[in-house]
Amino acid sequence: MSKIILAANNLVKRYDDVCAVDNLSFEIIEGECFGLLGPNGAGKSTTIEILENVISADGGEVLFYGKAIDDRFAQSIGIQFQSTALQDYLTVSDTLRLFRALYDNPVPTEQLVEDCALEELLNRDNRKLSGGQRQRLLLALALINDPKLVFLDEPTTGLDPQARRNFWQLITRQKQAGKTILLTTHYMDEAQILCDRVAIVEQGKIIAVGAPDELLLEHLPGMMIRLPSSAINHCQLPHLNFEFKQDSAQLISDDVNQTIAELLNHEVDLTGLTINAPTLEDLFIHLTGHQLRE
Amino acid sequence: MKRLFALWYARNLEFVRDRASLSWNLAFPLLLIFGFAFAFGNGQPDQYRVGVISQPIAKIADKDSFTNFSEIKHIEFISYDNQKSALEKLKQHQLDLVIAPSIDKYWINQQSAKGYLIEKILLSEVKSPIQQGQVDSEPIRYVDWVLPGVIGMNMMFSGLFGIGYVIVRYRKNGVLKRLKATPLSSLEFISAQILSRLFIQLSTSLFIAVSCIHILDLKMNGSYLLLFLMMFCGSLSLISVGLMMASRSSSEEFAGGILNLVSWPMMFLSGVWFSIDNAHPALQTLAQLLPLTHLVSGLRDIMLESANLTTLLPNIFTLLLITSCCIAISAYRFSWGEQ
């Protein structure tokens, strides 16, 4: 039977008049990668910092294995913050040594170096690391105590596509090693590849939670058909309920052949037609009515 | 203890590898002392300083026999409540002459060239018979006198900015937040910072003191053990002031302003460059609240007067009291994150 490692119950956090986290509840199952998805400012980082016990909530509770978190919690979790500076003038090796000393049962340095591909960087000053190298070091610090639960807050923000993919491989390896991961991201492709379950957060509230495929099946069953909006502006299409977004028109079809046939019947110009399986980004737009990066 | 040592070690590494900061911490005070040795190696800045016992300075002229003498230019008169402290200053060559107009007596330091000259002036201007008293102590050059001040000043800047500024920077850029997410307690973090800075300050200050004493043949009449003890207490108190100033702020500009606000009055009121015996009593009272005053005074007593532990106890007690208050306030106010 799946075990709940972390539960957030009715969390609330306010900053002056802004309610950053609004009565938010969810559970994370041991061994899964759980994603908190949403645009910048949705309340993901505030939520994750409450769960990490870095900031306190104004209301609600966090349970770790069914119990309120205590002093031992810090020994059981690993954290990669969205933005963290490291001490100047320390090398990667010095930094690993420092953080290993802060925990009771640290992972051997050789294992961390191998897991996070740091072999070539051990003698490099923290200030001279590239974005991807730095994130790998921060991941190593998050894993340094062999944590049961790893928090990764926007770990690939600002990385180039190659570095992002490399980082995904490292996270996938940790998933395979049985780590429970809580990931926040506003990259829907990242969530779709890495997460077993996701919660979509909007203005401090969860608006949907579940496995990505199940959520898509529930909210957007079928295939996404897109056309330039100019192609259907002047056509009467009574049976096709297109949704207009900027320069494109889109609809979800559970029978692509029939939809295409109908478009052809109405002599719609199919130049620019695309057919895709709906993505989490489509789901987010469908649920909130606006783009992720608006 | 393992965590505390790891953090202490990491902070020391940061300091040692920051070559610009390290060299500045060592070079600046050395340059100052070498500069003073060159400029004032043969004596004090020009001007006669005369101590007046148990008599307001304005009243000197009322005593007929001293009227002419009190009107001579380029003499600074400094009032003392008791004979002992005035003669002590005379011994230290901080005064060139001490007069007690009420009993028609004066004292000079036999070893002081300026004392010899001001005595001639005094005797030519005072018409009635006047009794002579003498003290005897080897001459103290200005550079001898100023070395404890420069060491104290260096410890002050290192303590205030070395710990205050660094913690504020750590807080601003998220290093503190990252450390908070580990099992490290705030007490362990603060202790490691204090111990690291203490180690750095004591090492650099002892290096500077020993270098100056041996290379420039400056005075060191007291015990090195007591010198170390006084440096330890002074350093601890200045670090704790820096820690208190940095306990919450995450703005480097604000912290810089506050640290300057604290350091500059100390620099001028704590007797680093010149004695403040002649300053307004309110300023002298204020000076007694400043840790640098007690540090510099203690160092000077050890190096110039070979003071013993009993003599130093008031300074040590005050420094430890300031340390306790500042650390208690820091522990109460300390914040890991931005406010």
Side-chain angles (χ1 to χ4, degrees), chain A:
Chain A
M1 187 183 155
S2 52
K3 201 171 178 181
I4 294 167
I5 187 168
L6 194 81
N9 296 331
N10 309 109
L11 296 182
V12 176
K13 183 71 182 177
R14 287 192 182 84
Y15 293 107
D16 298 324
D17 295 337
V18 179
C19 191
V21 179
D22 190 0
N23 205 30
L24 195 141
S25 300
F26 60 88
E27 291 169 341
I28 301 172
I29 297 162
E30 197 169 43
E32 75 173 344
C33 179
F34 186 88
L36 275 181
L37 315 186
N40 293 327
K44 306 185 300 294
S45 291
T46 306
T47 304
I48 201 170
E49 288 187 3
I50 293 171
L51 300 177
E52 290 161 349
N53 201 27
V54 170
I55 58 173
S56 56
D58 295 328
E61 61 175 359
V62 179
L63 302 178
F64 185 58
Y65 284 117
K67 292 178 183 166
I69 55 179
D70 56 21
D71 292 344
R72 298 289 306 162
F73 183 62
Q75 294 278 3
S76 310
I77 61 165
I79 297 176
Q80 181 171 352
F81 287 118
Q82 188 175 345
S83 58
T84 301
L86 294 163
Q87 280 95 330
D88 291 345
Y89 301 102
L90 295 192
T91 62
V92 169
S93 175
D94 296 330
T95 308
L96 290 174
R97 189 184 311 125
L98 167 64
F99 277 80
R100 284 188 80 244
L102 303 182
Y103 291 92
D104 293 343
N105 299 304
V107 173
T109 306
E110 301 74 33
Q111 187 186 325
L112 283 170
V113 168
E114 189 188 336
D115 286 352
C116 299
L118 296 171
E119 293 88 350
E120 307 294 318
L121 307 173
L122 284 175
N123 294 319
R124 191 166 298 179
D125 191 314
N126 289 337
R127 293 168 301 164
K128 293 178 181 164
L129 297 175
S130 70
Q133 291 166 342
R134 196 182 142 72
Q135 292 306 86
R136 271 150 48 202
L137 172 58
L138 291 174
L139 178 65
L141 298 183
L143 299 172
I144 210 155
N145 53 329
D146 192 18
K148 292 187 169 70
L149 174 60
V150 187
F151 295 93
L152 303 175
D153 191 3
E154 307 264 7
T156 62
T157 298
L159 299 189
D160 62 56
Q162 182 64 41
R164 282 181 71 205
R165 286 183 187 281
N166 290 342
F167 199 81
W168 291 350
Q169 283 178 7
L170 299 181
I171 297 174
T172 304
R173 240 185 275 163
Q174 292 305 316
K175 271 180 66 180
Q176 287 163 351
K179 293 265 183 280
T180 307
I181 296 170
L182 173 53
L183 171 82
T184 73
T185 183
H186 61 263
Y187 295 125
M188 295 294 137
D189 53 345
E190 184 166 287
Q192 207 145 6
I193 288 169
L194 296 176
C195 296
D196 302 306
R197 287 194 310 136
V198 296
I200 296 178
V201 184
E202 167 78 342
Q203 293 181 343
K205 291 181 177 169
I206 288 182
I207 53 175
V209 63
D213 291 345
E214 288 171 9
L215 285 176
L216 289 169
L217 201 62
E218 181 187 340
H219 294 281
L220 297 173
M223 298 294 282
M224 178 72 76
I225 295 177
R226 283 194 182 88
L227 277 166
S229 49
S230 57
I232 51 174
N233 270 349
H234 307 294
C235 302
Q236 296 293 321
L237 301 168
H239 304 298
L240 298 176
N241 192 16
F242 271 97
E243 204 176 333
F244 287 86
K245 299 279 179 189
Q246 294 169 343
D247 293 337
S248 73
Q250 62 187 41
L251 64 74
I252 294 288
S253 166
D254 51 7
D255 187 340
V256 174
N257 289 331
Q258 192 182 333
T259 306
I260 300 285
E262 195 155 342
L263 289 169
L264 288 171
N265 278 344
H266 287 84
E267 296 180 340
V268 172
D269 179 5
L270 297 186
T271 308
L273 173 86
T274 58
I275 303 170
N276 306 101
T279 63
L280 282 175
E281 183 131 12
D282 297 321
L283 176 65
F284 183 84
I285 294 165
H286 173 76
L287 292 173
T288 64
H290 60 82
Q291 300 271 348
L292 258 170
R293 290 167 198 84
E294 275 177 5

Side-chain angles (χ1 to χ4, degrees), chain A residues 89, chain B residues 13-26:
Chain A
Y89 301 102
Chain B
L13 273 186
E14 272 188 87
F15 180 79
V16 172
R17 288 180 186 167
D18 183 359
R19 297 289 159 80
S21 173
L22 177 66
S23 52
W24 183 245
N25 267 273
L26 289 173

Side-chain angles (χ1 to χ4, degrees), chain A residues 49 54-55, chain B residues 167-168 170-178 180 246-251 333-339:
Chain A
E49 288 187 3
V54 170
I55 58 173
Chain B
I167 289 180
V168 170
Y170 276 0
R171 187 179 287 116
K172 187 179 178 184
N173 63 19
V175 169
L176 278 193
K177 186 175 164 185
R178 184 63 192 86
K180 193 203 172 190
S247 56
R248 238 164 221 278
S249 172
S250 55
S251 158
R333 282 175 49 84
F334 185 76
S335 159
W336 290 96
E338 291 189 48
Q339 294 298 300

Side-chain angles (χ1 to χ4, degrees), chain B residues 2 5 39 60 232:
Chain B
K2 184 180 72 165
F5 177 76
I60 303 171
F232 178 87

Side-chain angles (χ1 to χ4, degrees), chain B residues 167-209:
Chain B
I167 289 180
V168 170
R169 196 184 69 222
Y170 276 0
R171 187 179 287 116
K172 187 179 178 184
N173 63 19
V175 169
L176 278 193
K177 186 175 164 185
R178 184 63 192 86
L179 290 173
K180 193 203 172 190
T182 70
L184 187 74
S185 70
S186 54
L187 183 65
E188 286 169 326
F189 174 78
I190 288 173
S191 304
Q193 296 303 311
I194 290 175
L195 291 177
S196 163
R197 184 48 57 168
L198 201 56
F199 173 73
I200 291 164
Q201 270 193 202
L202 289 175
S203 310
T204 52
S205 299
L206 278 173
F207 172 78
I208 291 161

Side-chain angles (χ1 to χ4, degrees), chain B residues 7 19 27 29 77 105-106 183 254 264 268 270 278 308 311 328:
Chain B
L7 211 58
R19 297 289 159 80
F77 291 96
K105 187 169 180 179
Y106 73 94
F254 177 74
W264 284 96
F268 290 111
S270 295
N278 206 23
N308 58 26
T311 317

